[in-house]
Amino acid sequence: MSNGIGVGLIGTGYMGKCHALAWHSVKAVFGTGPRPRFVHLAEASEELAARRAEEFGFERSTPDWRELIADPDVEVVSITTPNAFHADMAVAALEAGKHVWCEKPMAVGFADAERMAAAARASGNVAILGYNYIQNPMIRQIGELIAAGTIGEVNHIRLEMDEDFMADPEALFYWKSEASSGYGALDDFAVHPLSLVQTLFGDPTRVFAHQAKPYAERPIAGGGRRAVETYDIASVLFEIGPISGILAANRSAWGRKGRIALQIYGSAGSIVYDQERMNELQAYRASGPTADQGFLTVLAAPGHKPYDRFIPAPGHGLGFNDLKTIECHELLRAISGEKARVIDFAAGLEIERAVHAMARSHDEKRWIDV
Ligand code: NAD
């Protein structure tokens, strides 16, 4: 890695561009670690691959992702394709001796997720998932407040993840409406709040879930309509030992643009956070005169590491792509053998286990032990 680290990027849609930007920013933001070399890019067609390689600054492009994985100059592979591709691409990359940064969810079926975790274990390489929200300095701060006992013993958590990109009944049927993408809100959305739960508290031990389809069919591009195969809404009760939890996920929630709302209640206070206002948290401490009690709003500042690597001024704010840059830096730290804040394939498998238990609970209409 003395001459930098060779990067391969598969997929250049929404997340592919976020990965490309993160790879471009990481050295300038953090200063340390290897400098990424933009070696090889794969897309679904030759024309798109060549165009994106020119835009993103990659040396080579291909419509065949296996060619990218066979490239000896590629040392780490970003996988940002639809969910159904993750398992085959990640396993092939790990077997070829590459490190992997794969978007969430891990895979569509649990057996594929297990296959990915096994390949990571066998390879000894670093394999992490794109759970970017755990990287927010404010989420780190929430973890520190809880660890310091600021709100006492946590007994109840509520999480909501809502967006409105599927809220319009006439929104087009696309890959996220197909069963080949997974269950829907559970594995597309609920996995993100679950990544926060895992990071802050551990994995759910028992779950009870319900999924719903607000619209039975959607128009297809080019004309006609098609039955929707995934659930855009999921509601879950869960437990983590003594902590009771509620998780709601909805891809058809008009007005919500990027809501990941977290409420944490403890014996001595509470903490409230929402990703739509990702540069602040609110904390309530049940101490002092009642006349002075109320939620304290804390704005992101250089003291909330690694905010300081981006901006020296408090209250100016980070954005979504900055979380991806932090995630990329943590990946590089893991590759260098340092302790990193990542959800690797072993930890990601536990999120998958919870999600599949939720889907089973919906089918069997009962509590399921995870
Ligand atoms: P997208 O449709 O915008 O992009 C997917 C890209 O993959 C497209 O450009 C497509 O042409 C390309 N592709 C498809 N098949 C390919 C193949 N065989 N070889 C190479 N390229 C191929 O989708 P997206 O919204 O970027 O989602 C991609 C992944 O990212 C999904 O797994 C999704 O769950 C995840 N995601 C994560 C976050 C997050 O916050 N971490 C947000 C959105 C999406």
Side-chain angles (χ1 to χ4, degrees), residues 11 86 122 177 192 201 216 258 338 347:
H86 293 182
S177 316
H192 276 303
F201 307 105
E338 293 170 59

Side-chain angles (χ1 to χ4, degrees), residues 73-300:
D73 293 337
V74 170
E75 292 160 275
V76 54
V77 183
S78 275
I79 300 173
T80 71
T81 44
N83 309 344
F85 293 101
H86 293 182
D88 284 350
M89 291 175 174
V91 170
L94 287 162
E95 286 177 352
K98 320 291 182 186
H99 304 289
V100 171
W101 179 13
C102 179
E103 267 313 319
K104 51 53 65 179
M106 207 166 167
V108 178
F110 189 69
D112 270 343
E114 283 185 306
R115 196 157 64 87
M116 293 164 77
R121 237 185 353 261
S123 72
N125 290 331
V126 174
I128 73 156
L129 293 154
Y131 285 116
N132 25 265
Y133 298 111
I134 69 163
Q135 304 299 348
N136 188 337
M138 299 318 273
I139 296 293
R140 290 170 193 242
Q141 177 65 7
I142 288 172
E144 283 176 25
L145 289 173
I146 293 168
T150 309
I151 61 167
E153 286 294 315
V154 173
N155 45 52
H156 182 55
I157 50 184
R158 287 190 208 169
L159 304 110
E160 294 162 35
M161 177 156 181
D162 303 309
E163 293 184 26
D164 64 4
F165 64 93
M166 302 296 273
D168 185 345
E170 295 305 304
L172 287 182
F173 186 102
Y174 80 129
W175 67 263
K176 287 196 177 184
S177 316
E178 274 179 32
S180 65
S181 71
Y183 302 113
L186 270 185
D187 36 15
D188 190 24
F189 269 24
V191 292
H192 276 303
L194 283 172
S195 73
L196 299 177
V197 168
Q198 182 184 77
T199 302
L200 295 171
F201 307 105
D203 296 304
T205 44
R206 233 158 67 97
V207 298
F208 190 106
H210 176 258
Q211 302 181 85
K213 280 180 201 174
Y215 312 116
E217 55 175 34
R218 291 188 179 277
I220 43 181
R225 301 183 78 79
R226 186 168 160 187
V228 173
E229 296 165 1
T230 50
Y231 297 98
D232 291 328
I233 299 172
S235 311
V236 186
L237 297 176
F238 66 92
E239 291 175 348
I240 305 177
I243 302 176
S244 86
I246 300 178
L247 165 57
N250 187 351
R251 306 191 295 196
S252 56
W254 274 126
R256 301 300 187 190
K257 305 300 176 185
R259 177 175 166 84
I260 305 180
L262 184 55
Q263 298 180 64
I264 304 166
Y265 296 100
S267 55
S270 50
I271 297 172
V272 179
Y273 164 87
D274 185 351
Q275 173 65 24
E276 281 185 353
R277 305 180 68 84
M278 61 173 278
N279 287 287
E280 65 184 60
L281 65 79
Q282 269 133 14
Y284 180 96
R285 290 175 180 84
S287 57
T290 41
D292 291 343
Q293 286 181 358
F295 277 93
L296 170 78
T297 299
V298 179
L299 293 184

